[in-house]
Structures are given as structure tokens and as C-alpha cells.
């Protein structure tokens, strides 16, 4: 069943919000962002998108909206024509090696094969020693199960999202470790922490 114009606006707003921040908007933020006067109207659009499998709700989370199977199905259909570039060879960052053009191609769909993959633009310099700089983009696999030492998108206290290396501490807390010697780690209770995903790749544009 096709979406109405307003339903598509709601869905696009939610998808963009999640892509930019790593977590879903509240109903109040939806109403403000779409200039809707009533939360009841927001509920109506959410219910319609749920019924069409574009959204789903996780009732045990503070921000409960998630993109649904129909949304990812359409995204996969669009990305099936994702661009590819010739893989011309390998090049060393140290001693010179010969770069030989071959027949291989780098398919960008290889980086976004999971339906839960999303992108975030990095702000700040807390991960510069892991070569993740201000303005870079990170591709993130949506998951709440991560290993110690992985770079994660973490939601602290249901509101503040941060990009850090994740470590479980013996006292039952979590340490979110920056990759910047000038910054201190963030230590929080696991109960107040929601892992939104793990970093798969870093993208950087030079112009």
C-alpha cells in the first residue's frame, strides 16, 4: 500500500533524524520538526506507518521508533544499483609498491549489506587517534550486542549520543574510551546506556 505525501514526510524525517543522531525522535520532536499541532496527529501517522511495516515500536526503549522491514526492503531495492568503481590495485602507505590495474571492482553495496546499516557524520576530535576526524562519516551496523574494544555509537541517559570505544568494567559499569589522550573516558552505569551500533567503516571527503 502506497504512502500518502504526509506519511512519507514523517518517515523521511524519522529516517534522517536516526541517520544524523543515531537514535529516534520523540513524538514531541516529530511534531515540532513537521510543524504538527497535535501529538494525536503524530500518533495517527505512526500507526499508519506501522500498519504498512515502514515503522515498528520497541516498547522497552525510551525512544521506541525503529525503521521497519518495508523501509529497508525499499532501501535495498534502491541500493541494488549502487555505484561501483574499478579497484585498480593496492598501494602502500610506507614503501612504494607497484599499483597494477585489474578487473576487480569495489562495490559500495558490500559496505551496506545489512538492513540496519546507517551513517553518521562525526563532530569533534575525541577519536582522532583512531583516525576518525571531525567531518568524517562513519558507517554503523545497528546492534546492541558489541565486544569490548569495539567502536560504538552509545546513547547515554536516553539523550546524549557519543562515538567511543566500549569496555565493560568489573564493577558493572561501562567505560566509553575516547581515542584522544587529552580527553577523559566517560564512565556510566550499564543501566543508563543503550548501544545503538558498531562502526563498520570510516569515509572521508577531501573536496
Amino acid at each position: 500500500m502506497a504512502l500518502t505525501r504526509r506519511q512519507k514526510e514523517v518517515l523521511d524525517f524519522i529516517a534522517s533524524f536516526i541517520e544524523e543522531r543515531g537514535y529516534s525522535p520523540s513524538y514531541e520532536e516529530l511534531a515540532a520538526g513537521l510543524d504538527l499541532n497535535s501529538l494525536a496527529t503524530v500518533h495517527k501517522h505512526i500507526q499508519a506507518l506501522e500498519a504498512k511495516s515502514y515503522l515498528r515500536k520497541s516498547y522497552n526503549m525510551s525512544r521506541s521508533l525503529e525503521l521497519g522491514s518495508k523501509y529497508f526492503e525499499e532501501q535495498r531495492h534502491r541500493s541494488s544499483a549502487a555505484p561501483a568503481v574499478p579497484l585498480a590495485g593496492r598501494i602502500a602507505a610506507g614503501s612504494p609498491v607497484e599499483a597494477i590495474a585489474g578487473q576487480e571492482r569495489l562495490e559500495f553495496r558490500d559496505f551496506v549489506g545489512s538492513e540496519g546499516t546507517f551513517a553518521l557524520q562525526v563532530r569533534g576530535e575525541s577519536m582522532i587517534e583512531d583516525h576518525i576526524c571531525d567531518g568524517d562519516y562513519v558507517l554503523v551496523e545497528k546492534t546492541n550486542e558489541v565486544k569490548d574494544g569495539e567502536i560504538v555509537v552509545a546513547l547515554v541517559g536516553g539523550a546524549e549520543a557519543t562515538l567511543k570505544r566500549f569496555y565493560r568494567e568489573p564493577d558493572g559499569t561501562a567505560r566509553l574510551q575516547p581515542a584522544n589522550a587529552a580527553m577523559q573516558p566517560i564512565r556510566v552505569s550499564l543501566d543508563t546506556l543503550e548501544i545503538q551500533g558498531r562502526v563498520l567503516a570510516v569515509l572521508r571527503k577531501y573536496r
Side-chain angles (χ1 to χ4, degrees):
M1 189 181 299
L3 297 180
T4 66
R5 179 184 61 82
R6 197 53 161 163
Q7 287 168 1
K8 187 176 186 308
E9 288 176 355
V10 172
L11 182 63
D12 288 345
F13 181 90
I14 294 170
S16 295
F17 193 102
I18 292 173
E19 180 178 337
E20 290 172 6
R21 307 192 189 190
Y23 56 92
S24 64
S26 66
Y27 282 25
E28 290 78 7
E29 287 166 333
L30 269 170
L34 294 166
D35 198 23
L36 297 172
N37 296 324
S38 168
L39 290 181
T41 303
V42 175
H43 279 277
K44 181 186 73 173
H45 290 310
I46 295 301
Q47 288 173 348
L49 289 166
E50 263 197 294
K52 296 177 181 180
S53 298
Y54 284 94
L55 286 179
R56 62 186 181 190
K57 286 191 285 190
S58 297
Y59 293 95
N60 61 339
M61 295 176 64
S62 57
R63 291 172 179 265
S64 62
L65 295 176
E66 294 182 0
L67 297 169
S69 58
K70 185 67 173 177
Y71 173 84
F72 291 117
E73 178 184 326
E74 292 188 357
Q75 291 299 108
R76 281 198 300 273
H77 178 72
R78 293 190 188 100
S79 67
S80 63
V85 296
L87 183 60
R90 278 76 183 172
I91 186 166
S95 301
V97 296
E98 183 180 8
I100 303 173
Q103 300 302 311
E104 293 181 85
R105 295 179 68 80
L106 179 61
E107 300 283 348
F108 287 100
R109 70 171 64 93
D110 293 343
F111 291 89
V112 292
S114 168
E115 69 176 23
T117 302
F118 60 93
L120 294 171
Q121 187 171 26
V122 176
R123 288 286 180 254
E125 298 185 341
S126 69
M127 299 301 290
I128 56 173
E129 290 167 18
D130 278 332
H131 310 291
I132 302 175
C133 302
D134 183 65
D136 287 352
Y137 295 88
V138 289
L139 292 181
V140 181
E141 177 188 11
K142 184 176 177 62
T143 181
N144 57 13
E145 297 181 2
V146 297
K147 299 176 182 177
D148 281 11
E150 290 188 310
I151 301 175
V152 305
V153 175
L155 186 63
V156 180
E160 180 185 354
T162 187
L163 188 73
K164 298 288 185 292
R165 285 195 181 273
F166 170 80
Y167 296 93
R168 294 174 182 85
E169 297 288 56
D171 62 359
T173 62
R175 171 165 52 94
L176 301 176
Q177 182 70 44
N180 184 331
M183 296 184 177
Q184 296 298 313
I186 299 170
R187 300 178 188 275
V188 296
S189 167
L190 287 169
D191 294 336
T192 64
L193 188 67
E194 292 180 18
I195 300 298
Q196 304 289 301
R198 68 166 64 88
V199 170
L200 296 174
V202 181
L203 304 175
R204 181 176 302 159
K205 291 180 68 175
Y206 288 95
R207 64 175 184 174

